[in-house]
Amino acid sequence: MMLPRFNIAGMHKWDLPASKSLSNRWLVANFLCGGKIELKNVSTAEDTVLMINLLQQLKEGQNHIFQCFNAGTVARFMTALLSVTPGSHVLTCSQRMKERPMTELIDALRSMGAKIRCLESGGHLPVAIDGRRLRGGEVLLSGNTSSQFASALLLVAPKMINPLTLKFGQNSVSYPYISMTCEVLRTCGHDVLQQPLQISVMPATDVHTFSVVVENDWSSAAYAYNLVAFSPNLSLVLPGLKLPSWQGDSVATSWYHAIGVETQFQNNGIVLTNNGLPKKSPLVFHCSDNPDLVPPLAVACAGLGLDAEFVGLQTLRYKESDRLTALATELQRLGCQCVVNSDSLHILPSQLLINQSGNEKQPHTINTYGDHRLAMSFATLACIFDGLQIDNPDVAAKSFPNFFWQMLKIKQL
C-alpha cells in the first residue's frame, strides 16, 4: 500500500477499536459462566473473531481440532480452557506460533493434573489435550516470558477443584495484563486476592447476570498519538477511553507527554494536541509492563530525531515477529542510528532518509514481517515523508481492522 503524504491540521475524530485484550478475557469468562454476561462493544479484531469462533466450536462439540493461527492470546487461553473442558482436543497453529514459548503454561497445567501431549516439539504447539477437571492448588510461574500464561490459568481457576494460587518470580512482565484479568474475575463475583508476587482465586458458587461495555483500545490509541506528535497543528478526538483504566497501556498519556502530546479527558473520550514545545532528551522508557507501546513510540522518537532508550524488551522477540530485531532493522533502513541489545533498544538522534537514492518518486517499502503493530507504527511516518509504502497492510486487521481506512478518511469535526 502506497500512502500519500498526510498534511493534517485542525480537529478531527478517529474511532478506535474495542480492546481485544479485554474482549478476549470477557469472552472466556462468559463461556465459563454459561453465557450470563451481556457483552457490548466487543472487538472486531481478527484475534477476537477467532476467539469467538473457537468458543462456539467448543460449545457445539463437533470438531475437536482447534486452529489458533498466530494468535498468542488465543493460543494460551485455549490451551488452558481445553485442559479444563472434558473431551479429547487438538490445538494447532501457524508456523510462527509453533516457535513461540508455551513451556511454562503447559508445565503449570500438567502440575495440576492436565493431560497435554506435545505433537511436534516439547513445550510448543501443536498439542493434544484430554480435558478434565484440574485440582488447582499452588503454581509457581517465573513470569518473565508472557503474562498470558498467568491470565490463562486465572481465567479457568473457577473450574478447578481447589482454589488456585499463582506465585511469581521477581521479574514478572506485563503485569497490568494480569491485573486486567483479575478485575474481570472480580466483576464476575470471584474472590481474587492480589499480593506482591502472589494471586489467589476463590471461585464464586454462582455468577449473576450482568452486562459489560468493553472499553476502546488504549494500545491502538498510540498510533493516533504518533499522528499528533508528527503534526503540530492537528488535534484528534478519540471516543471511548477513560482513566482510570484496566488497560495498562493507558500509560501512553505520560509517555507521549514526554514527546510533546497532551491528553485532555472529555466525558466519553480524550482529545490529543501537540503542545509545540521543544522535546526533551535523552529519554528512557521502562517497557516490561507495556511492550505493545514500544513499536509506535520508538517510531515516533525516531521520526522526531530524539535520543530515546527503551529497556525491558525481553518479550518483544516472542511476539508475532521477532519484534525487537524487526523494529531495529526497519528503523536502520530509514537511516536511524540505533543500538540493539538482548532486551533494549537505544535510538540515537538521526535524520531519517525515506529515500536513499535521492529520487523523490521512488517509494520506500516497509517490511512488516507479518506483524500488525509494525505495519501501523511505520504507517504513521506518512505524516512526515513522501513515498512510504507498507508491505502487507492487511495484517493490521489482527487488532485494528479499519486502521488504514481511518488513516485515509480521518473525520473533520
Side-chain angles (χ1 to χ4, degrees), residues 313-325:
L313 308 185
Q314 59 268 30
T315 63
L316 283 194
R317 297 192 182 277
Y318 307 107
K319 300 293 185 178
E320 285 79 355
S321 66
D322 177 348
R323 199 170 277 171
L324 179 54
T325 299

Side-chain angles (χ1 to χ4, degrees), residues 128-204:
I129 300 172
D130 290 330
R132 61 196 58 209
R133 196 172 184 198
L134 304 185
R135 57 178 168 265
E138 188 175 294
V139 174
L140 177 63
L141 296 176
S142 69
N144 59 11
T145 303
S146 174
S147 66
Q148 293 168 356
F149 299 162
S151 288
L153 295 171
L154 291 168
L155 284 170
V156 300
K159 291 299 181 182
M160 296 180 184
I161 297 171
N162 301 306
L164 173 68
T165 296
L166 296 185
K167 293 188 174 182
F168 300 93
Q170 293 286 341
N171 299 315
S172 296
V173 297
S174 301
Y175 192 81
Y177 287 92
I178 300 174
S179 291
M180 177 193 294
T181 306
C182 291
E183 293 298 339
V184 168
L185 290 169
R186 287 191 183 99
T187 306
C188 291
H190 305 302
D191 187 6
V192 181
L193 177 61
Q194 284 181 266
Q195 299 173 293
L197 304 181
Q198 181 173 311
I199 299 174
S200 298
V201 179
M202 300 285 292

Side-chain angles (χ1 to χ4, degrees), residues 334-357:
L334 289 171
C336 177
Q337 300 179 54
C338 53
V339 178
V340 182
N341 291 311
S342 61
D343 63 350
S344 68
L345 172 66
H346 190 180
I347 293 173
L348 302 173
S350 309
Q351 179 66 47
L352 297 194
L353 304 172
I354 189 61
N355 192 332
Q356 302 288 352
S357 70

Side-chain angles (χ1 to χ4, degrees), residues 4 45 47 61 81 85 94 139 163 165 195 223 239 246 286 307 353 356:
D47 278 11
L81 182 58
T85 304
S94 68
V139 174
T165 296
Q195 299 173 293
Y223 313 114
W246 291 355
H286 296 272
D307 183 331
L353 304 172
Q356 302 288 352

Side-chain angles (χ1 to χ4, degrees), residues 5 21 26 30 41 46 59 119 122 138 176 253 258 361 366:
R5 174 73 176 268
S21 296
W26 279 120
N30 191 37
N41 194 42
E46 283 185 349
K59 181 179 179 181
L119 298 178
E138 188 175 294
T253 59
K361 295 184 179 180
I366 298 294

Side-chain angles (χ1 to χ4, degrees), residues 9 40 59-60 65-66 82 87 119 153 163 178 224 284 295 314 316 333 356 390:
K40 302 176 182 179
K59 181 179 179 181
E60 294 173 355
I65 300 176
F66 299 84
L82 294 175
L119 298 178
L153 295 171
I178 300 174
V284 178
Q314 59 268 30
L316 283 194
R333 290 181 61 232
Q356 302 288 352
I390 304 296

Side-chain angles (χ1 to χ4, degrees), residues 20 61 98 133 146 174 209 224 233-234 239 286:
K20 72 182 182 73
K98 292 179 181 180
R133 196 172 184 198
S146 174
S174 301
T209 301
N233 299 313
L234 171 65
H286 296 272

